[in-house]
Coordinates of all heavy atoms in Angstrom, one line a residue:
E1157 N 333.9 -59.1 -65.9 CA 332.5 -59.7 -66.1 C 332.5 -61.1 -65.6 O 331.5 -61.8 -65.8 CB 332.1 -59.6 -67.5 CG 331.9 -58.2 -68.0 CD 331.2 -58.2 -69.4 OE1 331.7 -58.8 -70.3 OE2 330.1 -57.5 -69.4
F1158 N 333.6 -61.6 -65.0 CA 333.6 -63.0 -64.6 C 332.5 -63.2 -63.6 O 332.2 -62.3 -62.8 CB 335.0 -63.3 -63.9 CG 335.3 -64.7 -63.9 CD1 335.5 -65.4 -65.0 CD2 335.4 -65.4 -62.7 CE1 335.8 -66.8 -65.0 CE2 335.7 -66.8 -62.6 CZ 335.9 -67.5 -63.8
P1159 N 331.8 -64.3 -63.8 CA 330.5 -64.4 -63.0 C 330.7 -64.3 -61.5 O 329.8 -63.8 -60.8 CB 330.0 -65.8 -63.4 CG 330.8 -66.3 -64.6 CD 332.0 -65.5 -64.7
V1160 N 331.8 -64.7 -61.0 CA 332.0 -64.7 -59.5 C 333.0 -63.6 -59.2 O 333.8 -63.2 -60.0 CB 332.4 -66.0 -58.9 CG1 331.4 -67.1 -59.3 CG2 333.8 -66.4 -59.4
P1161 N 333.0 -63.1 -57.9 CA 333.9 -62.0 -57.6 C 335.4 -62.3 -57.7 O 335.8 -63.5 -57.4 CB 333.5 -61.7 -56.1 CG 332.1 -62.1 -56.0 CD 332.0 -63.3 -56.8
V1162 N 336.2 -61.3 -58.1 CA 337.6 -61.5 -58.2 C 338.3 -60.5 -57.3 O 338.0 -59.3 -57.4 CB 338.1 -61.3 -59.7 CG1 339.6 -61.5 -59.8 CG2 337.4 -62.3 -60.6
I1163 N 339.1 -60.9 -56.4 CA 339.9 -60.1 -55.5 C 341.3 -60.0 -56.0 O 342.0 -61.0 -56.1 CB 339.8 -60.7 -54.1 CG1 338.4 -60.9 -53.6 CG2 340.6 -59.8 -53.1 CD1 338.3 -61.8 -52.4
A1164 N 341.8 -58.7 -56.2 CA 343.2 -58.6 -56.5 C 344.0 -58.5 -55.2 O 343.7 -57.6 -54.4 CB 343.4 -57.3 -57.3
A1165 N 345.0 -59.4 -55.0 CA 345.9 -59.3 -53.9 C 347.2 -58.8 -54.4 O 348.0 -59.5 -55.0 CB 346.1 -60.7 -53.3
I1166 N 347.4 -57.5 -54.2 CA 348.5 -56.7 -54.9 C 349.7 -56.7 -54.1 O 349.8 -56.0 -53.1 CB 348.0 -55.3 -55.3 CG1 346.7 -55.4 -56.2 CG2 349.1 -54.5 -56.0 CD1 345.8 -54.3 -56.0
N1167 N 350.7 -57.6 -54.4 CA 351.8 -57.9 -53.6 C 353.1 -57.1 -54.0 O 354.2 -57.7 -53.9 CB 352.1 -59.4 -53.6 CG 352.2 -59.9 -55.0 OD1 351.4 -59.6 -55.9 ND2 353.2 -60.7 -55.2
G1168 N 353.0 -55.9 -54.5 CA 354.2 -55.2 -54.9 C 353.8 -54.2 -56.0 O 352.7 -53.6 -56.0
F1169 N 354.7 -54.1 -57.0 CA 354.4 -53.1 -58.1 C 353.1 -53.4 -58.8 O 352.8 -54.6 -59.2 CB 355.5 -53.1 -59.1 CG 356.8 -52.6 -58.6 CD1 357.9 -53.5 -58.5 CD2 357.0 -51.3 -58.2 CE1 359.2 -53.0 -58.0 CE2 358.2 -50.8 -57.7 CZ 359.3 -51.7 -57.6
A1170 N 352.3 -52.4 -59.0 CA 351.1 -52.5 -59.8 C 351.1 -51.2 -60.7 O 350.4 -50.2 -60.5 CB 349.8 -52.5 -59.0
L1171 N 351.9 -51.3 -61.7 CA 352.2 -50.2 -62.6 C 351.6 -50.4 -64.0 O 351.6 -51.5 -64.5 CB 353.7 -49.9 -62.7 CG 354.4 -49.7 -61.4 CD1 356.0 -49.6 -61.6 CD2 353.9 -48.5 -60.7
G1172 N 351.1 -49.3 -64.6 CA 350.6 -49.4 -66.0 C 349.6 -50.5 -66.0 O 348.5 -50.5 -65.3
G1173 N 349.8 -51.5 -66.9 CA 348.9 -52.6 -67.0 C 348.7 -53.4 -65.7 O 347.6 -54.1 -65.6
G1174 N 349.6 -53.3 -64.8 CA 349.4 -53.9 -63.5 C 348.3 -53.2 -62.7 O 347.5 -53.9 -62.0
C1175 N 348.4 -51.9 -62.7 CA 347.3 -51.1 -62.0 C 346.0 -51.4 -62.7 O 344.9 -51.6 -62.1 CB 347.7 -49.6 -62.0 SG 346.6 -48.6 -61.1
E1176 N 346.1 -51.5 -64.1 CA 344.9 -51.6 -64.9 C 344.2 -53.0 -64.6 O 343.0 -53.1 -64.5 CB 345.2 -51.4 -66.3 CG 345.5 -50.0 -66.6 CD 346.1 -49.7 -68.0 OE1 347.1 -50.4 -68.3 OE2 345.6 -48.9 -68.8
I1177 N 345.0 -54.0 -64.5 CA 344.4 -55.4 -64.3 C 343.7 -55.4 -62.9 O 342.7 -56.0 -62.7 CB 345.4 -56.5 -64.6 CG1 344.6 -57.8 -64.7 CG2 346.4 -56.7 -63.5 CD1 345.4 -59.0 -65.2
S1178 N 344.4 -54.7 -62.0 CA 343.8 -54.8 -60.6 C 342.4 -54.0 -60.6 O 341.5 -54.4 -59.9 CB 344.7 -54.1 -59.6 OG 344.7 -52.7 -59.6
M1179 N 342.3 -53.0 -61.5 CA 341.1 -52.3 -61.5 C 340.0 -53.0 -62.2 O 338.8 -52.6 -62.1 CB 341.3 -50.9 -62.2 CG 342.2 -50.0 -61.3 SD 342.2 -48.3 -62.0 CE 343.1 -48.4 -63.5
S1180 N 340.3 -54.1 -63.0 CA 339.2 -54.9 -63.6 C 338.7 -55.9 -62.6 O 337.7 -56.6 -62.8 CB 339.7 -55.6 -64.8 OG 340.7 -56.6 -64.5
C1181 N 339.4 -56.0 -61.4 CA 338.9 -56.9 -60.4 C 337.8 -56.2 -59.5 O 337.7 -55.0 -59.5 CB 340.1 -57.3 -59.5 SG 341.4 -58.2 -60.4
D1182 N 337.0 -57.0 -58.8 CA 336.0 -56.4 -58.0 C 336.5 -55.6 -56.8 O 335.9 -54.6 -56.4 CB 335.0 -57.5 -57.5 CG 334.3 -58.2 -58.6 OD1 333.2 -57.7 -59.0 OD2 334.8 -59.2 -59.2

Side-chain angles (χ1 to χ4, degrees):
E1157 293 194 306
F1158 201 64
V1160 303
V1162 182
I1163 301 164
I1166 300 152
N1167 54 314
F1169 294 114
L1171 302 175
C1175 187
E1176 289 168 308
I1177 195 170
S1178 81
M1179 292 190 289
S1180 70
C1181 299
D1182 294 272

